[in-house]
């Protein structure tokens, strides 16, 4: 179907005249006639009845006019939809994130992004790093954020977005805080709160205690907030990224311990599917993170952004 011919046909319908249609479209009257004749020839029907200087639509012409209106309305709707998406007047991003980044890093970034693009809806899902990668891999999330352990490079592509130190904390009046350099053995008389399987922190803590009797966790929690509450109880310790305990350390509810051999950093990565192109809104969100100081390794996101080109 020739779109130009349809537009000429609709102009004739609206003006009721080949001459007026030609004037409105800035083409010649013979050109208008050729476009209408092309449609009549294509469909094998007469579209207008010519009665002297006036014209009237035939029944077939009425059908074509109705369908052409529907077609042009749909065309305008599609263009408006994609204009909205490109300009981010509308859109949706589903983000899956592990506990620390979901609680302490993403909320300010999401709030700032939505201030710029209020029409974009963001749904945030939570899980440990293993679960986050599954959600991205099976299409339940557009972007994932979590640790870097065990990434299946065939299904996902990752980029480092943030790195920070891991600290062991306890309540500030605990006796162990008086020790200048703490060994793993010094902690054996305390209850250590472990994170669940599939977390990067659990791997680091297991490495710390590998040559001690503390091989099996006595307390396992899946929430950062729960681990912090335990650490404020006499006799309990836990390991968390510093951003998760910064406020409690600053106001004196928790203290960080100087533990010999515990020199680990947490790497937080962004994950996208290797087989599905990230949408416009998702690309805009990653671009937004490039300019945020609290994502101190976000320059690596350029690798993921290049996938959308």
């Amino acid at each position: 179907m020739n779109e130009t011919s349809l537009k000429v046909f609709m102009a004739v319908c609206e003006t009721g005249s080949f001459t007026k249609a030609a004037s409105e479209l800035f083409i010649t009257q013979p050109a208008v006639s050729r476009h209408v004749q092309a449609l009549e020839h294509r469909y094998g029907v007469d579209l207008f009845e010519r009665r002297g200087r006036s014209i009237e639509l035939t029944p077939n012409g009425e059908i074509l006019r109705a369908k052409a209106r529907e077609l042009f309305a749909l065309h305008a709707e599609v263009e408006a939809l994609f204009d909205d998406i490109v300009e981010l007047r509308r859109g949706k991003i589903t983000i899956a994130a592990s506990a620390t980044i979901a609680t302490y890093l993403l909320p300010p970034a999401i709030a700032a992004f939505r201030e710029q693009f209020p029409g974009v809806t963001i749904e945030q899902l939570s899980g440990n790093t293993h679960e986050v990668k599954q959600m991205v891999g099976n299409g339940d999330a557009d972007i994932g954020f979590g640790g870097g352990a065990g990434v299946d490079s065939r299904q996902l592509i990752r980029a480092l977005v943030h790195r920070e130190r891991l600290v062991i904390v306890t309540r500030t009046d605990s006796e162990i805080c008086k020790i200048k350099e703490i060994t793993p053995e010094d902690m054996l008389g305390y209850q250590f709160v472990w994170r669940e399987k599939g977390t990067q922190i659990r791997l680091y803590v297991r490495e710390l205690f590998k040559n001690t009797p503390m091989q099996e966790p006595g307390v396992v929690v899946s929430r950062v907030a729960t681990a912090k509450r335990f650490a404020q109880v006499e006799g309990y310790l836990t390991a968390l990224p510093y951003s998760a305990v910064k406020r409690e350390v600053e106001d004196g509810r928790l203290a960080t311990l100087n533990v010999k051999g515990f020199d680990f950093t947490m790497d937080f990565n962004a994950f996208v599917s290797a087989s599905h192109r990230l949408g416009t809104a998702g690309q805009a969100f990653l671009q937004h993170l490039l300019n945020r100081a609290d994502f101190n390794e976000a320059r690596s996101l350029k690798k993921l952004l290049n996938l959308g080109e």
Side-chain angles (χ1 to χ4, degrees):
M1 181 181 292
N2 188 309
E3 184 179 344
T4 301
S5 294
L6 268 183
K7 288 181 178 178
V8 172
F9 166 75
M10 290 299 292
V12 175
C13 293
E14 291 167 3
T15 62
S17 164
F18 280 61
T19 302
K20 290 179 180 178
S23 176
E24 185 175 285
L25 297 172
F26 301 101
I27 59 176
T28 65
Q29 182 176 332
V32 171
S33 297
R34 284 196 298 271
H35 280 293
V36 172
Q37 289 168 1
L39 290 173
E40 290 179 326
H41 177 74
R42 178 180 177 84
Y43 297 114
V45 297
D46 290 330
L47 298 174
F48 294 100
E49 291 182 3
R50 295 160 179 83
R51 298 179 178 178
R53 294 185 177 181
S54 65
I55 58 172
E56 290 184 6
L57 280 166
T58 66
N60 288 322
E62 293 282 6
I63 292 173
L64 182 60
R65 179 171 65 173
K67 294 301 180 183
R69 282 175 174 168
E70 292 179 10
L71 179 64
F72 286 126
L74 179 61
H75 184 267
E77 182 181 339
V78 170
E79 285 197 336
L81 172 64
F82 281 97
D83 283 345
D84 279 351
I85 291 173
V86 169
E87 296 178 20
L88 288 180
R89 290 194 293 265
R90 287 190 289 175
K92 180 179 179 181
I93 315 168
T94 302
I95 297 173
S98 58
T100 300
I101 199 165
T103 305
Y104 301 99
L105 293 176
L106 277 176
I110 290 174
F113 179 80
R114 290 203 71 255
E115 185 175 345
Q116 185 177 1
F117 303 110
V120 177
T121 299
I122 297 182
E123 180 181 6
Q124 184 173 306
L125 309 175
S126 297
N128 61 37
T129 296
H130 176 70
E131 292 166 339
V132 165
K133 291 184 288 185
Q134 284 187 324
M135 284 186 269
V136 176
N138 63 26
D140 289 336
D142 302 306
I143 309 170
F145 293 93
V151 175
D152 184 352
S153 59
R154 294 171 298 176
Q155 296 181 357
L156 304 176
I157 301 173
R158 68 171 172 173
L160 181 67
V161 292
H162 183 70
R163 174 174 285 158
E164 67 174 77
R165 63 191 177 102
L166 194 63
V167 294
I168 294 178
V169 294
T170 189
R171 58 185 291 165
T172 52
D173 60 356
S174 177
E175 285 296 315
I176 199 170
C177 295
K178 298 176 182 179
I179 304 175
K180 290 185 178 180
E181 186 177 66
I182 299 166
T183 66
E185 288 73 19
D186 292 326
M187 293 185 282
L188 296 181
Y190 290 79
Q191 294 289 328
F192 203 96
V193 180
W194 295 61
R195 296 298 304 281
E196 76 275 24
K197 290 182 179 179
T199 59
Q200 196 173 356
I201 294 177
R202 186 184 178 104
L203 296 176
Y204 289 152
V205 171
R206 187 171 292 281
E207 177 68 20
L208 175 68
F209 291 120
K210 67 179 181 180
N211 296 319
T212 74
M214 193 185 292
Q215 294 298 313
E216 295 298 327
V219 178
V220 180
V221 300
S222 60
R223 292 171 57 91
V224 172
T226 306
K228 289 197 294 184
R229 291 294 297 273
F230 267 110
Q232 294 174 51
V233 176
E234 176 62 39
Y236 281 82
L237 315 171
T238 196
L240 289 169
Y242 184 70
S243 64
V245 296
K246 182 175 183 288
R247 179 176 298 178
E248 288 81 3
V249 171
E250 290 178 348
D251 66 20
R253 283 177 287 165
L254 291 175
T256 60
L257 303 181
N258 179 26
V259 180
K260 184 178 181 180
F262 194 77
D263 185 21
F264 298 105
T265 56
M266 286 286 292
D267 286 351
F268 296 102
N269 298 274
F271 305 103
V272 297
S273 170
S275 58
H276 297 95
R277 185 180 183 274
L278 188 61
T280 302
Q283 292 180 47
F285 184 72
L286 294 184
Q287 185 72 45
H288 169 72
L289 295 186
L290 283 174
N291 302 316
R292 292 193 61 85
D294 47 356
F295 285 76
N296 56 30
E297 297 290 339
R299 62 184 179 277
S300 301
L301 285 171
K302 292 179 180 178
K303 177 173 68 174
L304 301 189
L305 287 166
N306 288 338
L307 298 176
E309 295 180 352

